[in-house]
Amino acid sequence: MNLSTGTRSKGRTAAGKRSRFVLRALAATATAAALAIPVTSATATAAPAAIPPGLSCHTGKHANDDYTGFALCRNNGSRTQTFWVHLVCGWSPDVDGNRVTLRPGESGQSTAHCGALGTGIGEIHVRP
């Protein structure tokens, strides 16, 4: 309806409204279908690497900060080893922690922090 004259529109404008309605409905359906696809299928990663031989490690997230991860390792082997924690950070770039060198019988911890704009820690790996 034309508010200034009080008359109804006929012809192309009514058809145009129907076309816009159909396009909006199609766009909403396509958006809903795209959101229904699991995000993990597009971001699938390889299986976590095994902990290096001779090390026994415990990994986890910091108790007060879900963006900080750690690897606490003990060298049970007979030679010096170096390790570090690797965090898969979702939407933010992955990060590596500090390198820790352990002599036989020693323990140490490597920590890293994912960017605050990301989705937090997805996986924690120990790298040799």
Side-chain angles (χ1 to χ4, degrees), residues 13-66:
T13 54
K17 286 181 182 179
R18 270 188 251 121
S19 296
R20 276 187 271 143
F21 174 77
V22 170
L23 286 174
R24 284 183 184 161
L26 249 157
T29 304
T31 302
L35 293 175
I37 298 171
V39 174
T40 53
S41 66
T43 59
T45 58
I51 294 175
L55 290 177
S56 60
C57 299
H58 171 71
T59 61
K61 295 179 185 178
H62 191 276
N64 297 328
D65 182 5
D66 285 336

Side-chain angles (χ1 to χ4, degrees), residues 61-62 64-69 87 89 92 95 112-121:
K61 295 179 185 178
H62 191 276
N64 297 328
D65 182 5
D66 285 336
Y67 289 82
T68 301
L87 303 180
C89 295
S92 293
V95 292
H113 186 80
C114 289
L117 296 177
T119 55
I121 298 171

